[in-house]
Amino acid sequence: MRLSVVALLSNLKLPDVFENKTFNGIKLEKQGLQIKKFNDQKMIQDIGEIQYYNEFTKSPCFYFNTEIAPYRFQDLEKMLELRDFVHDALFSLWLTKDNSVNSHVMMSRSDDNKISTNRTPMMFSNSIGEYGKTFFSEDELQEAETWAQLILEMYTNTVLEPTTIKKEIAVGEIVFNNTNKDIQYHKTNRLQRTIQFVTMARKESFLPAKITFYISALESLLSDTNAELRFQVADRSARILGVNLEEKLKISKIITKAYDYRSKYIHGTAGKNASEDLMIEVDDILRRLIKLFLTDLNHVVKMKDEEFRNWLKELLYK
């Protein structure tokens, strides 16, 4: 059975003249053009007229066509599966530049005219914990497509054990698939763990919590022991990203300040919120590091622990 799925995008502003983009098989469209093809009274009744006009037909969206088996809840399970692809596409937009673009509503329609919706209560904020529209140019969207492909390749090369999705059915046959409970964390590489922490940070608008996840992301990517983590992360970030002594010192100072603030927050001594300038700088450092590990340092991600330690030693002489 054929299933058409639309994932609504909020806080994304596209060029007036816009050619549809494709992120690993999912199409980015400007104003719900595919939804308008579904335009009939049954659909409006099923999802609500206000929701229909205000959200699905006037906002950018991702659009999929896929096949499903004719079983109960297959449409909802497929939407949850496709949401992972949406998250990767949104992460590719973040790799391009800081933003708060979200996709919190999905709608599907099957060949037998069944309409289903899925709302996920998760919102990404920008580096300073705010929600607002971000404009992406054609060139920036083209760059994001490239990052989406590299992210897909990284996850495709990770072998995970098959998992059984546990369905919990509540009143009204609302289906909850708890896929986070049994994440195979031990099977992921350091870059995947880093991306997971960055995603947690982006869900936070409370800056002390956001910076705590940022630090965890840096540690996942660059540390090899539990000793002197502050020094490890600050020094290695500076050596990897800095092109001269001045930039290396600046990067090290930024990360040290982030560690100082996180420590004060955790121990309850932070007298004020983290500065927005610091949040922007740490966010940018993480973005640059992840992009490097997806490209020039892709071989490092695949290293075993001993190889990684040897590579870190070589950094001392850069």
Side-chain angles (χ1 to χ4, degrees), residues 133-151:
K133 287 186 179 295
T134 302
F135 174 80
F136 278 80
S137 67
E138 285 277 357
D139 288 343
E140 289 169 335
L141 291 170
Q142 188 69 43
E143 179 186 342
E145 285 184 273
T146 301
W147 294 124
Q149 179 60 37
L150 290 172
I151 292 169

Side-chain angles (χ1 to χ4, degrees), residues 1-7 25-26 34 38 62-71 73-83 106-118:
M1 185 187 304
R2 199 72 175 163
L3 186 74
S4 298
V5 181
V6 172
I26 60 176
Q34 297 294 337
F38 300 167
F62 285 128
Y63 172 72
F64 316 74
N65 259 322
T66 187
E67 295 287 337
I68 59 170
Y71 302 133
F73 300 132
Q74 280 291 298
D75 54 340
L76 296 173
E77 287 190 4
K78 179 57 70 172
M79 280 199 287
L80 290 172
E81 178 185 322
L82 291 173
R83 184 163 287 282
M106 296 179 75
M107 190 205 78
S108 70
R109 184 175 189 173
S110 57
D111 284 344
D112 60 358
N113 283 330
K114 180 183 178 183
I115 303 292
S116 298
T117 58
N118 172 262

Side-chain angles (χ1 to χ4, degrees), residues 93-228:
L93 291 175
W94 175 82
L95 282 173
T96 305
K97 66 180 181 182
D98 186 20
N99 66 80
S100 59
V101 179
N102 291 282
S103 178
H104 60 284
V105 182
M106 296 179 75
M107 190 205 78
S108 70
R109 184 175 189 173
S110 57
D111 284 344
D112 60 358
N113 283 330
K114 180 183 178 183
I115 303 292
S116 298
T117 58
N118 172 262
R119 287 183 176 268
T120 301
M122 178 183 68
M123 295 288 286
F124 294 126
S125 66
N126 63 17
S127 59
I128 58 175
E130 295 180 352
Y131 306 91
K133 287 186 179 295
T134 302
F135 174 80
F136 278 80
S137 67
E138 285 277 357
D139 288 343
E140 289 169 335
L141 291 170
Q142 188 69 43
E143 179 186 342
E145 285 184 273
T146 301
W147 294 124
Q149 179 60 37
L150 290 172
I151 292 169
L152 177 63
E153 290 172 5
M154 176 188 65
Y155 283 111
T156 301
N157 292 330
T158 301
V159 179
L160 298 178
E161 299 169 2
T163 56
T164 301
I165 299 176
K166 300 175 182 177
K167 302 184 188 69
E168 301 175 24
I169 304 175
V171 176
E173 293 191 337
I174 297 175
V175 181
F176 299 91
N177 283 356
N178 189 356
T179 57
N180 286 335
K181 183 178 179 181
D182 299 314
I183 290 176
Q184 298 172 40
Y185 190 76
H186 63 292
K187 293 279 188 177
T188 56
N189 62 44
R190 63 181 58 252
L191 183 54
Q192 290 168 333
R193 294 191 291 272
T194 298
I195 290 173
Q196 188 174 11
F197 278 119
V198 170
T199 300
M200 293 177 184
R202 297 191 64 226
K203 294 176 187 176
E204 282 287 349
S205 58
F206 182 50
L207 298 189
K210 185 185 285 285
I211 207 167
T212 298
F213 285 125
Y214 277 159
I215 293 295
S216 296
L218 287 167
E219 291 177 350
S220 293
L221 188 62
L222 299 175
S223 66
D224 63 320
T225 69
N226 291 327
E228 298 181 329

